[in-house]
Amino acid sequence: LVHIAMLKNARVLAAAAVASLPLASAFQVAPSLLPHGAIRSGRSAVQRPVSRREARSAPKMVAINPTEIKEHDKWLLTLDHDAFRSDVGALGKKLEKNQGEDDVKHLKKICLWSNACAVMGLATMWFPIGSVMNVFSVLMLSLWTMSRWTTIAHHTGHGGYNKADETGFFNSRGFAQGTLFKRTTQWFDWMLPEAWNIEHNNLHHYRLGEQDDPDLVERNLDFVRSLKAPMALKYGIVAFLACTWKWFYYSPNTYKELKIMERKKSGLPVTKEMGPSDAFTLKAFVDRYIPGMDVTVWYSFREFMTKVAGPYLAIHFFLMPLPCLLISTVAYTNAVATLFLADVLTNIHSFIIIATNHAGSDLYKFDEGCKPNSATFYMRQVVSSANFRTGGDMNDFWHGWLNYQIEHHVWPNLSALSYQKAQPELKAICDKHGVPYVQESVWVRLKKTTDIMVGKADQRQFPSALEKTSDLKTWSAADTSENSAKLGQDVKVQSSQTPVLA
C-alpha cells in the first residue's frame, strides 16, 4: 500500500511539474525524466498504471532550477529521449538493410582513386626536390596514405562491408591484420592495425567525450593548456604535433591501448595510479630517465620499433624507393626525401580533418559512461561531434569521409556510401527533436580545436543533472572485450609475460 501511494504521489508531482512548465516557475522537470507512464505534451501525466518493474527501471525525477541551466543546455529540458532513439534507430536499420553491391562498388572506386594517387606519386618521387613534379609527387603520396587510412581501412575496420562484400576481402576480421604481408599490401601506416582497432573502433567510439576516451583533445593537450609560456610557444607546439602526430603520438598511444587490453585479459592489474588514460607518446621513453618524472612505460622502445613503427619506417621510406637506384643515387635520395615530405603533409592533412572532429567549445564532454545504442548514446554521438561540408565523392575524398563524423559515430558499422545518404535524414531528425547538430567548415573547426589545445577555450561540460540515469553505465574490461568481439576485432593476447612497466 505504501508503494502504491508513493507511485501515485510521484505521478501527481510529475503532473504538477508538467503543468508548471509554461509558467516561469522556480523549478522545472525535464520531460525525458518523468516516470514511464507520463506523457510529455499537453495530455495528463496520469494514464495507465505503472508496473513495479517499470517503476524500478524508470529514471529518477529530478527537480531542476531553470536559472541554473545554461542557455546552450536548455534544449535538454524538452528532449524526448525515447522518441529520438526510436527515430535514429529506425533510420540506422533502414540504411544497413539497404547496403549491398553498390556500397562495395563505391568503395572500390575510392580504392581506384587512392591507387591512382599512389602510382602518380611513386612515378614522380625521384624528381629534384622543390621542382613542380616533386610538389606534385608529395601531394599524391600524401593523398594516397591519407585515403588508404581514413576512408578504406577506417570503414572496413568498423565492419561497414562485412555483409555487403561477399568475397570477404573488405572484412573487419582480417583486413590488414595478422601478417606483415597483409599489413603492407592492404593498409600500411605508422599504426599497428590491431592496436588501432582497439583504441579507435572500441574505446573512442564507445566512450566518446568521456575521460576514458583516448582521443579527448582537452585532456591529451593539458600539458600545453597549462603551460606557463607565451601563446606563440603554445601555437608552435601545436604546429609541431600537426606535422608529427601520427608517429610521435598516435602510433605509440594506440599500441599502449592494445597492451593495456592484453594486460587486463591476462589478469594483471591496471590501476588509476598507472595513468592508463594519459596520452603515451615517444617522449615517455625519454621522460622515464628524468629524475622526478612519474611515467608508466607500457612496453619497451625496442618492442615498439620491432612490431609497430619499425616495419613502416624501413619498408615505406627506404626499401620501396630502391628501384630509383636504377636511375641514379641522386634519384634515390630525392625519392626518400619526397616520401618524408609527403609524410609531413599527410600528418598535417589528417590532423586538420581528424583532430577537429570532437574538439571545440560547442561540443560536449561527459562525466560518466553510457550504454551503447541507448538514447543517451545516440544523443552524445551527435552533440560531441562535428561535420564539415558534405556531398559529392570528390569533396568527401579530400575530407577523408570524416566530414560525416556525426553519422559515423551514430552508426559506426555503415559504409561510406551510406553516410552520404544518411546525412540529410539524420540532420532532419536532430532538427525535429531539438538536438544540436554542428556542421561547419573544416577551417572553422580547426580554429575552435586550436583554441582548446592552447587553453583559450574549454570543452562544454554536459550537465549531469540532465542525464537519463537509466542509460548510464560503468565500463569494465569485460565490456571492452565483448564490444571488440562484436566488431570482429577480438583481442589476441600475444604473451603471458608481464609487460614492461616503469
Side-chain angles (χ1 to χ4, degrees):
L1 290 174
V2 171
H3 179 68
I4 293 173
M6 290 176 67
L7 287 177
K8 288 182 177 180
N9 288 336
R11 288 197 289 268
V12 170
L13 287 172
V18 172
S20 68
L21 282 175
L23 304 176
S25 58
F27 292 93
Q28 292 186 348
V29 177
S32 61
L33 301 179
L34 293 176
H36 184 76
I39 299 298
R40 297 169 172 80
S41 58
R43 291 176 286 172
S44 170
V46 181
Q47 290 206 347
R48 61 176 175 78
V50 181
S51 68
R52 293 187 179 184
R53 181 179 180 182
E54 289 172 336
R56 287 194 301 268
S57 63
K60 297 178 181 179
M61 185 174 69
V62 181
I64 302 167
N65 188 339
T67 62
E68 296 178 357
I69 302 299
K70 296 179 180 179
E71 189 65 32
H72 55 242
D73 296 330
K74 288 186 177 179
W75 61 273
L76 283 160
L77 295 173
T78 56
L79 175 63
D80 186 330
H81 285 73
D82 294 334
F84 180 68
R85 181 193 182 202
S86 177
D87 287 348
V88 173
L91 177 57
K93 289 179 181 178
K94 182 185 77 172
L95 292 164
E96 185 175 11
K97 181 180 178 181
N98 291 334
Q99 288 193 168
E101 185 179 354
D102 288 344
D103 298 85
V104 178
K105 287 182 178 179
H106 179 262
L107 180 63
K108 288 181 177 179
K109 182 178 77 169
I110 301 305
C111 288
L112 179 62
W113 289 8
S114 180
N115 293 338
C117 290
V119 170
M120 291 186 286
L122 294 172
T124 55
M125 64 182 178
W126 58 274
F127 279 90
I129 302 299
S131 66
V132 173
M133 293 306 296
N134 172 251
V135 173
F136 175 77
S137 179
V138 168
L139 177 60
M140 290 298 101
L141 291 171
S142 172
L143 280 174
W144 170 41
T145 303
M146 185 275 296
S147 59
R148 199 73 198 177
W149 172 27
T150 61
T151 303
I152 300 167
H154 187 190
H155 298 117
T156 300
H158 273 291
Y161 302 92
N162 283 6
K163 296 179 181 179
D165 181 23
E166 296 180 355
T167 67
F169 181 80
F170 297 108
N171 191 291
S172 63
R173 293 186 181 276
F175 190 81
Q177 301 172 58
T179 66
L180 181 59
F181 177 78
K182 292 180 70 176
R183 183 185 173 191
T184 55
T185 57
Q186 295 178 354
W187 172 39
F188 203 24
D189 213 321
W190 290 107
M191 297 78 69
L192 184 69
E194 292 88 343
W196 186 72
N197 284 340
I198 293 298
E199 191 271 357
H200 174 81
N201 296 2
N202 194 315
L203 297 175
H204 171 59
H205 270 267
Y206 281 94
R207 307 184 190 186
L208 180 64
E210 304 168 22
Q211 278 302 309
D212 286 339
D213 179 359
D215 295 338
L216 188 60
V217 171
E218 186 181 60
R219 182 203 60 233
N220 289 346
L221 272 291
D222 182 65
F223 75 98
V224 178
R225 290 167 54 83
S226 59
L227 186 64
K228 303 298 182 183
M231 194 59 67
L233 177 59
K234 292 187 176 185
Y235 281 118
I237 295 174
V238 171
F240 168 79
L241 291 174
C243 296
T244 63
W245 75 286
K246 287 172 66 178
W247 57 265
F248 180 77
Y249 153 69
Y250 209 41
S251 180
N253 198 61
T254 53
Y255 193 56
K256 176 207 74 174
E257 297 296 351
L258 176 61
K259 299 303 290 185
I260 289 176
M261 185 51 53
E262 290 177 354
R263 186 176 176 85
K264 289 178 178 179
K265 292 193 72 172
S266 297
L268 299 172
V270 177
T271 65
K272 184 178 180 180
E273 290 70 28
M274 296 166 71
S277 297
D278 296 342
F280 188 83
T281 70
L282 291 185
K283 183 173 174 285
F285 294 115
V286 177
D287 289 345
R288 65 179 300 186
Y289 297 109
I290 300 177
M293 294 293 289
D294 186 16
V295 179
T296 299
V297 181
W298 300 95
Y299 50 86
S300 67
F301 181 74
R302 180 178 180 179
E303 179 182 350
F304 174 70
M305 291 304 297
T306 301
K307 296 183 178 181
V308 185
Y312 185 68
L313 177 64
I315 296 173
H316 182 81
F317 294 96
F318 297 103
L319 295 182
M320 189 171 64
L322 280 177
C324 293
L325 287 172
L326 298 174
I327 302 174
S328 69
T329 304
V330 173
Y332 175 76
T333 303
N334 289 340
V336 172
T338 298
L339 287 167
F340 276 106
L341 289 173
D343 188 69
V344 173
L345 182 58
T346 200
N347 266 277
I348 296 172
H349 190 172
S350 57
F351 178 89
I352 292 171
I353 61 177
I354 293 176
T356 53
N357 285 147
H358 307 287
S361 59
D362 52 352
L363 300 181
Y364 285 92
K365 61 182 177 181
F366 312 94
D367 289 330
E368 300 180 73
C370 69
K371 299 173 184 176
N373 300 327
S374 63
T376 297
F377 175 85
Y378 287 141
M379 177 267 291
R380 287 186 178 188
Q381 308 315 302
V382 176
V383 301
S384 193
S385 305
N387 277 11
F388 314 135
R389 180 165 59 90
T390 55
D393 283 348
M394 185 57 69
N395 171 74
D396 297 343
F397 182 79
W398 279 88
H399 283 93
W401 252 263
L402 295 163
N403 47 337
Y404 297 96
Q405 193 66 192
I406 295 175
E407 289 72 28
H408 174 59
H409 265 263
V410 171
W411 310 290
N413 62 332
L414 294 183
S415 69
L417 183 61
S418 288
Y419 294 132
Q420 290 180 328
K421 299 175 181 177
Q423 192 273 328
E425 294 193 59
L426 181 58
K427 188 176 187 301
I429 290 174
C430 292
D431 291 342
K432 170 186 173 183
H433 292 278
V435 177
Y437 184 102
V438 178
Q439 183 174 20
E440 294 179 311
S441 162
V442 67
W443 305 112
V444 174
R445 298 312 308 178
L446 178 61
K447 171 62 169 60
K448 292 184 177 181
T449 299
T450 305
D451 285 346
I452 294 290
M453 290 180 166
V454 300
K456 279 189 174 182
D458 300 320
Q459 205 83 0
R460 183 177 293 178
Q461 181 65 50
F462 192 89
S464 298
L466 296 180
E467 291 277 21
K468 184 177 180 183
T469 54
S470 59
D471 284 350
L472 300 182
K473 177 180 179 64
T474 300
W475 289 98
S476 68
D479 292 319
T480 307
S481 300
E482 180 182 353
N483 291 339
S484 295
K486 289 178 180 177
L487 290 167
Q489 296 143 5
D490 310 81
V491 182
K492 302 293 190 301
V493 179
Q494 298 179 3
S495 173
S496 59
Q497 298 178 353
T498 303
V500 177
L501 295 175

